[in-house]
Amino acid sequence: MAEEKATEAVEETTEATQETKVETPVQDPKEFLENFDWDKYEQGIERVDDSKLQEFETLVAENFVDTADEEVVQGTVVYLTDREAIIDINAKSEGVISLNEFRYNPDLKVGDKVEVLIDIREDKSGQLVLSHRKARTIMAWDRVNAAHDNEEIVSGFVKCRTKGGMIVDVFGIEAFLPGSQIDVKPIRDYDQYVNKTMEFKVVKINHEFKNVVVSHKALIEADIEEQKKEIISQLEKGQVLEGVVKNITSYGVFIDLGGVDGLVHITDLSWSRINHPNEVVELDQKLNVVILDFDENKSRIQLGLKQLEKHPWDALSEDIKIGDKVKGKVVVIADYGAFIEVVEGVEGLIHVSEMSWSTHLRSAQDFVKVGDEVDAVVLTLDREDRKMSLGIKQLTPDPWTDITTKYPVGSRHKGIVRNFTNFGVFLELEEGIDGLIYISDLSWTKKIKHPSEFVTVGDTLEVEVLELDVEGRKLSLGHKQTTENPWDKYESEFAVGTVHTSAITDIVDKGATIDFNEDITAFVPQRHMEKEDGKKLAKGEEAEFKIIEFNKDFKRVVASHTAIFREEEQRNVKAAVKRAAASADEAKPTIGDANEALQALKDKMEASSKKKK
């Protein structure tokens, strides 16, 4: 408060003196205060002349800050304690700021210039209250924007981890540091960066949401760009380089060649099949790789590891030839077959058609699984194209070799239904021997629209061999032939003219159907459903029916109820005519008598007909 007392003293002295102003040399205000005799002033012993008062006012105006609340000014660190920093802003007193506000700058030292916000010019205890954090926040956005626009390097304090990266204090603003922007190498331990001060580049600012994104990787990339250009300029195909495994993915391995990354695809890691690259390499492993290819800019470099070793096909024994029996391990299975590793790096394909003599092509999974040790026969071998095809079924005899002996025409056998189509059923008699039953050969009596109405897959059926084509490897089978044809018996039992009693089963558009037994369903045309009283037969009504058509080949039977009484009427007419003729012979009637008799019979028939109506 010494400065305030000095000011008051100057004001009192100014009022008391009327002396003429005299110019004096400029004096340091600190020196003036140090030499000022307060005791004499308080006792009123010494007076201060106007010139000195004017000099003091000038010095105060030039050197002391006219502080206002919420104002940002620059101060100087004049003293540091374990917990606080004493800041001089050329005000009446110094301000105290906690070192927590300087966590981002652990190298803070006496003499450093810092921005501070004047919170309160003088609190209850007369202390100047300052804030560095608030000052940084006020000025931060201007600094961040300037750093982004000018591509300046800024310093930031890594506060903590967050999802996907880190939170960094930059100028008092919490900026986001993505995990991918920390280093050029993948980071496995993020915690090692917490509470560290690092240099960054502001790469993105979202003014709407007040988001700032920074990158440390951008600085590293800039440093290694020149080194990278030098390395790239010397790259050549076939060149062998040493590198370090930088990253492992499911499709390959990224190798750091010293600032330049290259990819070893999974297929170029080993001559043998592998499921994942980590079966061959591990992170940070040093190894030699060969350059296979690169694009025009050499930004995408394709590397190889297996190419540094001799191809297994070149080491394949010359003793292996077509027809030899080999043993191998199933390494890959596809729907069309399985790949067998005969020796390390040498594989042969067993197509599904070569796994069984059966003509039903099934999936390879039905025969083998990955890891199985199998025996096979070499079917083809191309050392130049490095291809080999194998077969399993060749280890067993071809069942068609003695097919005429085992399955002659007319012989009967049992088989399993393996599949069916719209036109028939495929039946497996034994492994490799299949036959076809046409839909027409399934049943003597049933009218089958689709085989699924008669059988299901997996059913066992008895069949008879109808035809045998050895060259075409085809068998024609029949199921109905294993039983007698009931229509041979029905041909006489339901011959045309025979009469049978049954009930109307169903009424259809043009008539009705009746079931004589489980095999024969007859059709009754509508005009043949008329009864003697002129009414029609109804569903469920029982009556006599006369067979008017029987076709064994087409399994067609047509019946009539009307024919029963119409035939009787015709017989009555014939009988009447016959009796009339006999009477004529005895009485020798005239022509008029005969006509009379016929007219009477005609009238009777007409009366009967009207009665029906």
Side-chain angles (χ1 to χ4, degrees), residues 131-320:
S131 173
H132 177 61
R133 181 182 293 111
K134 292 181 180 179
R136 289 184 74 215
T137 302
I138 293 173
M139 304 184 67
W141 282 103
D142 292 338
R143 290 185 176 182
V144 166
N145 285 319
H148 178 263
D149 296 340
N150 300 326
E151 297 186 353
E152 297 177 2
I153 297 175
V154 299
S155 179
F157 178 75
V158 181
K159 297 176 65 176
C160 61
R161 283 193 58 180
T162 187
K163 185 178 181 181
M166 316 287 286
I167 298 298
V168 179
D169 185 326
V170 178
F171 302 137
I173 294 176
E174 287 191 346
F176 178 60
L177 172 63
S180 61
Q181 294 298 314
I182 298 177
D183 203 336
V184 292
K185 299 179 181 179
I187 303 301
R188 291 185 282 276
D189 181 15
Y190 286 81
D191 293 332
Q192 62 179 314
Y193 295 96
V194 177
N195 295 328
K196 284 189 176 181
T197 300
M198 301 169 61
E199 290 185 333
F200 302 98
K201 189 174 182 180
V202 180
V203 294
K204 185 177 181 181
I205 298 177
N206 188 320
H207 294 281
E208 181 179 357
F209 296 102
K210 299 295 182 180
N211 291 336
V212 178
V213 180
V214 296
S215 171
H216 180 68
K217 176 182 176 181
L219 302 180
I220 301 176
E221 287 177 336
D223 292 339
I224 65 175
E225 189 62 32
E226 293 299 323
Q227 178 184 356
K228 184 177 180 179
K229 289 180 180 179
E230 179 67 21
I231 295 174
I232 288 178
S233 65
Q234 299 176 2
L235 293 181
E236 295 180 2
K237 292 182 181 180
Q239 184 179 7
V240 178
L241 300 173
E242 184 182 62
V244 178
V245 177
K246 179 179 179 181
N247 192 19
I248 299 176
T249 68
S250 59
Y251 55 86
V253 178
F254 288 94
I255 306 294
D256 184 357
L257 300 175
V260 179
D261 291 345
L263 173 65
V264 182
H265 194 268
I266 186 172
T267 56
D268 291 316
L269 284 172
S270 173
W271 292 113
S272 300
R273 288 182 183 266
I274 57 175
N275 296 318
H276 197 278
N278 56 23
E279 298 176 17
V280 180
V281 298
E282 58 185 19
L283 286 172
D284 300 326
Q285 178 183 350
K286 289 185 178 181
L287 42 77
N288 291 327
V289 290
V290 60
I291 298 177
L292 302 180
D293 200 2
F294 43 73
D295 59 8
E296 293 181 359
N297 299 325
K298 296 183 180 180
S299 58
R300 293 185 178 182
I301 305 170
Q302 182 181 346
L303 305 174
L305 181 62
K306 71 180 184 181
Q307 287 78 4
L308 296 176
E309 301 176 357
K310 188 176 181 181
H311 198 289
W313 271 89
D314 297 332
L316 185 64
S317 174
E318 294 292 338
D319 296 335
I320 296 179

Side-chain angles (χ1 to χ4, degrees), residues 2 27 36 53 130 184 198 293 313 358 369 406 462 602:
Q27 185 176 1
F36 190 80
L53 289 175
L130 305 176
V184 292
M198 301 169 61
D293 200 2
W313 271 89
S358 175
K369 61 181 183 293
K406 295 173 66 176
E462 186 177 2
K602 182 178 180 182

Side-chain angles (χ1 to χ4, degrees), residues 559-579:
S560 171
H561 172 68
T562 306
I564 297 292
F565 63 84
R566 285 280 170 85
E567 189 176 73
E568 186 177 348
E569 288 179 354
Q570 291 176 1
R571 283 198 302 270
N572 291 337
V573 171
K574 289 180 181 179
V577 172
K578 189 174 181 180
R579 286 195 302 273

